[in-house]
PDB file of all heavy atoms in Angstrom:
ATOM      1  N   ALA R 325       3.991   9.007  -0.623  1.00  0.00           N
ATOM      2  CA  ALA R 325       4.912   9.605  -1.578  1.00  0.00           C
ATOM      3  C   ALA R 325       4.813   8.911  -2.842  1.00  0.00           C
ATOM      4  O   ALA R 325       4.515   7.702  -2.903  1.00  0.00           O
ATOM      5  CB  ALA R 325       6.354   9.577  -1.123  1.00  0.00           C
ATOM      6  N   ILE R 326       5.013   9.394  -3.900  1.00  0.00           N
ATOM      7  CA  ILE R 326       4.936   8.883  -5.287  1.00  0.00           C
ATOM      8  C   ILE R 326       6.373   8.989  -5.874  1.00  0.00           C
ATOM      9  O   ILE R 326       6.941  10.083  -5.850  1.00  0.00           O
ATOM     10  CB  ILE R 326       3.944   9.423  -6.171  1.00  0.00           C
ATOM     11  CG1 ILE R 326       2.534   9.481  -5.648  1.00  0.00           C
ATOM     12  CG2 ILE R 326       4.024   8.860  -7.663  1.00  0.00           C
ATOM     13  CD1 ILE R 326       1.492  10.366  -6.419  1.00  0.00           C
ATOM     14  N   PHE R 327       6.952   7.802  -6.234  1.00  0.00           N
ATOM     15  CA  PHE R 327       8.263   7.839  -6.739  1.00  0.00           C
ATOM     16  C   PHE R 327       8.152   7.271  -8.327  1.00  0.00           C
ATOM     17  O   PHE R 327       8.258   6.134  -8.634  1.00  0.00           O
ATOM     18  CB  PHE R 327       9.100   6.775  -6.092  1.00  0.00           C
ATOM     19  CG  PHE R 327       9.360   7.102  -4.591  1.00  0.00           C
ATOM     20  CD1 PHE R 327       8.577   6.532  -3.631  1.00  0.00           C
ATOM     21  CD2 PHE R 327      10.355   8.077  -4.232  1.00  0.00           C
ATOM     22  CE1 PHE R 327       8.710   6.920  -2.248  1.00  0.00           C
ATOM     23  CE2 PHE R 327      10.549   8.375  -2.824  1.00  0.00           C
ATOM     24  CZ  PHE R 327       9.709   7.848  -1.833  1.00  0.00           C
ATOM     25  N   PRO R 328       8.014   8.302  -9.226  1.00  0.00           N
ATOM     26  CA  PRO R 328       7.898   7.919 -10.570  1.00  0.00           C
ATOM     27  C   PRO R 328       9.259   7.330 -11.104  1.00  0.00           C
ATOM     28  O   PRO R 328      10.345   7.775 -10.783  1.00  0.00           O
ATOM     29  CB  PRO R 328       7.690   9.218 -11.265  1.00  0.00           C
ATOM     30  CG  PRO R 328       7.208  10.224 -10.368  1.00  0.00           C
ATOM     31  CD  PRO R 328       7.822   9.701  -9.016  1.00  0.00           C
ATOM     32  N   THR R 329       9.155   6.224 -12.000  1.00  0.00           N
ATOM     33  CA  THR R 329      10.268   5.456 -12.470  1.00  0.00           C
ATOM     34  C   THR R 329      10.616   5.961 -13.803  1.00  0.00           C
ATOM     35  O   THR R 329      11.783   5.559 -14.433  1.00  0.00           O
ATOM     36  CB  THR R 329      10.042   4.081 -12.414  1.00  0.00           C
ATOM     37  OG1 THR R 329       9.003   3.621 -13.207  1.00  0.00           O
ATOM     38  CG2 THR R 329       9.812   3.613 -10.929  1.00  0.00           C
ATOM     39  N   THR R 330       9.832   6.841 -14.482  1.00  0.00           N
ATOM     40  CA  THR R 330      10.033   7.359 -15.825  1.00  0.00           C
ATOM     41  C   THR R 330       9.675   8.872 -15.832  1.00  0.00           C
ATOM     42  O   THR R 330       8.859   9.216 -14.902  1.00  0.00           O
ATOM     43  CB  THR R 330       9.297   6.627 -16.912  1.00  0.00           C
ATOM     44  OG1 THR R 330       7.873   6.838 -16.723  1.00  0.00           O
ATOM     45  CG2 THR R 330       9.654   5.158 -16.826  1.00  0.00           C
ATOM     46  N   LYS R 331      10.087   9.516 -16.838  1.00  0.00           N
ATOM     47  CA  LYS R 331       9.625  10.962 -16.952  1.00  0.00           C
ATOM     48  C   LYS R 331       8.198  11.075 -17.270  1.00  0.00           C
ATOM     49  O   LYS R 331       7.444  11.911 -16.794  1.00  0.00           O
ATOM     50  CB  LYS R 331      10.499  11.550 -18.060  1.00  0.00           C
ATOM     51  CG  LYS R 331      11.985  11.933 -17.675  1.00  0.00           C
ATOM     52  CD  LYS R 331      12.677  12.606 -18.664  1.00  0.00           C
ATOM     53  CE  LYS R 331      14.072  12.857 -18.315  1.00  0.00           C
ATOM     54  NZ  LYS R 331      14.862  13.801 -19.339  1.00  0.00           N
ATOM     55  N   GLN R 332       7.527  10.203 -18.019  1.00  0.00           N
ATOM     56  CA  GLN R 332       6.234  10.090 -18.253  1.00  0.00           C
ATOM     57  C   GLN R 332       5.450   9.887 -17.019  1.00  0.00           C
ATOM     58  O   GLN R 332       4.338  10.645 -16.781  1.00  0.00           O
ATOM     59  CB  GLN R 332       5.838   9.070 -19.291  1.00  0.00           C
ATOM     60  CG  GLN R 332       4.401   8.983 -19.691  1.00  0.00           C
ATOM     61  CD  GLN R 332       4.130   8.077 -20.795  1.00  0.00           C
ATOM     62  OE1 GLN R 332       4.769   8.068 -21.834  1.00  0.00           O
ATOM     63  NE2 GLN R 332       3.127   7.123 -20.628  1.00  0.00           N
ATOM     64  N   GLN R 333       5.779   9.015 -16.164  1.00  0.00           N
ATOM     65  CA  GLN R 333       5.236   8.768 -14.880  1.00  0.00           C
ATOM     66  C   GLN R 333       5.103  10.135 -13.927  1.00  0.00           C
ATOM     67  O   GLN R 333       4.231  10.441 -13.412  1.00  0.00           O
ATOM     68  CB  GLN R 333       5.749   7.649 -14.149  1.00  0.00           C
ATOM     69  CG  GLN R 333       5.390   6.246 -14.758  1.00  0.00           C
ATOM     70  CD  GLN R 333       5.871   5.102 -13.842  1.00  0.00           C
ATOM     71  OE1 GLN R 333       6.502   5.373 -12.762  1.00  0.00           O
ATOM     72  NE2 GLN R 333       5.610   3.896 -14.195  1.00  0.00           N
ATOM     73  N   GLN R 334       6.288  10.700 -14.019  1.00  0.00           N
ATOM     74  CA  GLN R 334       6.514  11.942 -13.253  1.00  0.00           C
ATOM     75  C   GLN R 334       5.400  13.008 -13.679  1.00  0.00           C
ATOM     76  O   GLN R 334       4.828  13.674 -12.931  1.00  0.00           O
ATOM     77  CB  GLN R 334       7.933  12.484 -13.508  1.00  0.00           C
ATOM     78  CG  GLN R 334       8.115  13.774 -12.611  1.00  0.00           C
ATOM     79  CD  GLN R 334       9.585  14.256 -12.699  1.00  0.00           C
ATOM     80  OE1 GLN R 334      10.256  13.893 -13.719  1.00  0.00           O
ATOM     81  NE2 GLN R 334       9.895  15.075 -11.741  1.00  0.00           N
ATOM     82  N   ALA R 335       5.326  13.171 -15.012  1.00  0.00           N
ATOM     83  CA  ALA R 335       4.389  14.093 -15.625  1.00  0.00           C
ATOM     84  C   ALA R 335       2.953  13.760 -15.229  1.00  0.00           C
ATOM     85  O   ALA R 335       2.143  14.596 -14.852  1.00  0.00           O
ATOM     86  CB  ALA R 335       4.583  14.177 -17.139  1.00  0.00           C
ATOM     87  N   VAL R 336       2.624  12.533 -15.334  1.00  0.00           N
ATOM     88  CA  VAL R 336       1.196  11.996 -14.858  1.00  0.00           C
ATOM     89  C   VAL R 336       0.953  12.268 -13.414  1.00  0.00           C
ATOM     90  O   VAL R 336      -0.120  12.748 -13.049  1.00  0.00           O
ATOM     91  CB  VAL R 336       1.030  10.618 -15.259  1.00  0.00           C
ATOM     92  CG1 VAL R 336      -0.317  10.073 -14.677  1.00  0.00           C
ATOM     93  CG2 VAL R 336       1.143  10.289 -16.745  1.00  0.00           C
ATOM     94  N   ALA R 337       2.039  11.962 -12.552  1.00  0.00           N
ATOM     95  CA  ALA R 337       1.747  12.075 -11.090  1.00  0.00           C
ATOM     96  C   ALA R 337       1.677  13.529 -10.754  1.00  0.00           C
ATOM     97  O   ALA R 337       0.783  13.880  -9.949  1.00  0.00           O
ATOM     98  CB  ALA R 337       2.981  11.320 -10.362  1.00  0.00           C
ATOM     99  N   GLN R 338       2.546  14.346 -11.227  1.00  0.00           N
ATOM    100  CA  GLN R 338       2.416  15.816 -10.877  1.00  0.00           C
ATOM    101  C   GLN R 338       1.059  16.356 -11.413  1.00  0.00           C
ATOM    102  O   GLN R 338       0.567  17.102 -10.594  1.00  0.00           O
ATOM    103  CB  GLN R 338       3.629  16.580 -11.544  1.00  0.00           C
ATOM    104  CG  GLN R 338       4.896  16.223 -10.948  1.00  0.00           C
ATOM    105  CD  GLN R 338       6.144  16.786 -11.577  1.00  0.00           C
ATOM    106  OE1 GLN R 338       6.066  17.130 -12.773  1.00  0.00           O
ATOM    107  NE2 GLN R 338       7.187  16.978 -10.856  1.00  0.00           N
ATOM    108  N   ALA R 339       0.620  16.055 -12.564  1.00  0.00           N
ATOM    109  CA  ALA R 339      -0.586  16.516 -13.106  1.00  0.00           C
ATOM    110  C   ALA R 339      -1.821  16.067 -12.247  1.00  0.00           C
ATOM    111  O   ALA R 339      -2.727  16.808 -12.057  1.00  0.00           O
ATOM    112  CB  ALA R 339      -0.738  16.237 -14.552  1.00  0.00           C
ATOM    113  N   TYR R 340      -1.703  14.869 -11.886  1.00  0.00           N
ATOM    114  CA  TYR R 340      -2.829  14.300 -11.038  1.00  0.00           C
ATOM    115  C   TYR R 340      -2.888  14.878  -9.652  1.00  0.00           C
ATOM    116  O   TYR R 340      -3.986  15.161  -9.088  1.00  0.00           O
ATOM    117  CB  TYR R 340      -2.683  12.712 -10.988  1.00  0.00           C
ATOM    118  CG  TYR R 340      -4.057  12.061 -10.571  1.00  0.00           C
ATOM    119  CD1 TYR R 340      -5.222  12.576 -11.017  1.00  0.00           C
ATOM    120  CD2 TYR R 340      -4.032  11.031  -9.767  1.00  0.00           C
ATOM    121  CE1 TYR R 340      -6.422  11.800 -10.755  1.00  0.00           C
ATOM    122  CE2 TYR R 340      -5.327  10.334  -9.343  1.00  0.00           C
ATOM    123  CZ  TYR R 340      -6.417  10.820  -9.837  1.00  0.00           C
ATOM    124  OH  TYR R 340      -7.495  10.193  -9.402  1.00  0.00           O
ATOM    125  N   VAL R 341      -1.833  15.038  -8.947  1.00  0.00           N
ATOM    126  CA  VAL R 341      -1.841  15.601  -7.669  1.00  0.00           C
ATOM    127  C   VAL R 341      -2.380  17.108  -7.722  1.00  0.00           C
ATOM    128  O   VAL R 341      -3.175  17.488  -6.950  1.00  0.00           O
ATOM    129  CB  VAL R 341      -0.399  15.687  -7.087  1.00  0.00           C
ATOM    130  CG1 VAL R 341      -0.248  16.451  -5.824  1.00  0.00           C
ATOM    131  CG2 VAL R 341       0.173  14.230  -6.777  1.00  0.00           C
ATOM    132  N   ALA R 342      -1.973  17.799  -8.744  1.00  0.00           N
ATOM    133  CA  ALA R 342      -2.474  19.093  -9.086  1.00  0.00           C
ATOM    134  C   ALA R 342      -4.051  19.159  -9.402  1.00  0.00           C
ATOM    135  O   ALA R 342      -4.780  19.925  -8.798  1.00  0.00           O
ATOM    136  CB  ALA R 342      -1.795  19.879 -10.232  1.00  0.00           C
TER     137      ALA R 342
END
Side-chain angles (χ1 to χ4, degrees):
I326 301 168
F327 298 95
T329 61
T330 66
K331 290 185 177 180
Q332 180 172 312
Q333 286 187 0
Q334 182 179 20
V336 172
Q338 290 174 335
Y340 196 41
V341 170

